[in-house]
Amino acid sequence: DAGITQSPRHKVTETGTPVTLRCHQTENHRYMYWYRQDPGHGLRLIHYSYGVKDTDKGEVSDGYSVSRSKTEDFLLTLESATSSQTSVYFCAIKDGAGTEAFFGQGTRLTVV
Amino acid sequence: KQEVTQIPAALSVPEGENLVLNCSFTDSAIYNLQWFRQDPGKGLTSLLLIQSSQREQTSGRLNASLDKSSGRSTLYIAASQPGDSATYLCAVLLYNFNKFYFGSGTKLNVKP
């Protein structure tokens, strides 16, 4: 298995609080991604990174920010969590365009 | 925007059957296509990656084909087993962007 660790694995938080999810990789892959998975919507890209300090938005980036200060870590922050951000969040890594993407085990976030 | 469709959404077959899962995409300018499986409550596991220059890729009982010009890929599973029960997802990577787009998946149930 690819070395990807997501933390925490489960979190319950209150509306309006900030939340940070962490993705850590040991593969030294260049690209890192954050997706959310919801019933009826499938997997949707939130943000991705193509290098240290290089990030770009995906299709559902509103309400989320990211940071990548080291190759191995990609952080996803919900500045002020809302109930619509209740979801399962997946991190993925990829070394280059022609290579496989690998996924973490997911973080189940519940906003109450 | 790339649209990725998977048909059928769900499939139930008896053990031992050969089956085909379909994935179609609207923009044929893809770099590659990747098939994943997802077990309930788990992350995505990579099955096969097909580059745009390839027509087929095989791994064990799995065979994936790609027809870029018609915007289609199929995943063939030979001699299905109950352990194959999972949701199967395809994802396409476009040229110019290192983002990949997912279909909504086919939920497969193989009955003993």
Side-chain angles (χ1 to χ4, degrees), chain B residues 65-107:
Chain B
S65 67
L66 175 64
D67 184 343
K68 241 180 44 164
S69 60
S70 66
R72 291 193 301 185
S73 175
T74 60
L75 179 67
Y76 175 82
I77 302 176
S80 58
Q81 303 170 358
D84 294 331
S85 297
T87 296
Y88 290 80
L89 296 143
C90 67
V92 298
L93 178 72
L94 298 181
Y95 278 101
N96 303 325
F97 303 100
N98 255 292
K99 298 185 281 188
F100 43 107
Y101 294 91
F102 280 87
S104 52
T106 294
K107 187 173 183 179

Side-chain angles (χ1 to χ4, degrees), chain A residues 31 33 35 37 97-98 100-101, chain B residues 32 34 38 46 51 93 98 100:
Chain A
Y31 298 92
Y33 305 82
Y35 283 86
Q37 186 175 39
E100 287 179 278
Chain B
N32 55 42
Q34 192 169 355
Q38 185 177 28
S46 178
Q51 306 295 345
L93 178 72
N98 255 292
F100 43 107

Side-chain angles (χ1 to χ4, degrees), chain B:
Chain B
K1 180 184 177 253
Q2 176 74 270
E3 301 287 342
V4 183
T5 304
Q6 290 186 247
I7 294 173
L11 184 61
S12 184
V13 301
E15 181 177 5
E17 271 203 10
N18 302 324
L19 55 100
V20 174
L21 307 181
N22 297 293
C23 172
S24 61
F25 45 93
T26 54
D27 187 341
S28 62
I30 68 167
Y31 198 93
N32 55 42
L33 183 147
Q34 192 169 355
W35 282 93
F36 297 86
R37 73 172 275 168
Q38 185 177 28
D39 294 289
K42 304 291 186 183
L44 280 69
T45 300
S46 178
L47 297 173
L48 289 164
L49 173 70
I50 314 179
Q51 306 295 345
S52 62
S53 58
Q54 296 177 311
R55 299 282 295 186
E56 282 190 5
Q57 193 69 260
T58 298
S59 176
R61 293 183 295 109
L62 305 180
N63 175 277
S65 67
L66 175 64
D67 184 343
K68 241 180 44 164
S69 60
S70 66
R72 291 193 301 185
S73 175
T74 60
L75 179 67
Y76 175 82
I77 302 176
S80 58
Q81 303 170 358
D84 294 331
S85 297
T87 296
Y88 290 80
L89 296 143
C90 67
V92 298
L93 178 72
L94 298 181
Y95 278 101
N96 303 325
F97 303 100
N98 255 292
K99 298 185 281 188
F100 43 107
Y101 294 91
F102 280 87
S104 52
T106 294
K107 187 173 183 179
L108 174 64
N109 178 37
V110 181
K111 299 172 288 186

Side-chain angles (χ1 to χ4, degrees), chain A residues 36-50:
Chain A
R36 61 179 288 175
Q37 186 175 39
D38 305 286
H41 292 279
L43 279 147
R44 293 178 292 175
L45 181 65
I46 305 171
H47 281 280
Y48 74 105
S49 169
Y50 48 96

Side-chain angles (χ1 to χ4, degrees), chain A residues 6-7 19 29 31 43 59 63 77 89:
Chain A
Q6 290 186 231
S7 58
V19 177
H29 283 357
Y31 298 92
L43 279 147
E59 56 184 317
T77 297
Y89 291 86

Side-chain angles (χ1 to χ4, degrees), chain A residues 18-92:
Chain A
V19 177
T20 295
L21 308 183
R22 181 184 184 227
C23 178
H24 178 78
Q25 61 149 328
T26 57
E27 306 294 323
N28 201 37
H29 283 357
R30 178 182 175 189
Y31 298 92
M32 299 186 75
Y33 305 82
W34 278 107
Y35 283 86
R36 61 179 288 175
Q37 186 175 39
D38 305 286
H41 292 279
L43 279 147
R44 293 178 292 175
L45 181 65
I46 305 171
H47 281 280
Y48 74 105
S49 169
Y50 48 96
V52 174
K53 296 196 168 123
D54 293 322
T55 65
D56 203 352
K57 295 179 180 179
E59 56 184 317
V60 290
S61 59
D62 287 348
Y64 301 95
S65 62
V66 290
S67 65
R68 191 171 179 198
S69 58
K70 299 185 287 186
T71 298
E72 58 266 34
D73 288 325
F74 192 33
L75 304 180
L76 176 71
T77 297
L78 291 66
E79 302 290 346
S80 177
T82 68
S83 58
S84 65
Q85 294 175 312
T86 292
S87 186
V88 180
Y89 291 86
F90 287 101
C91 173

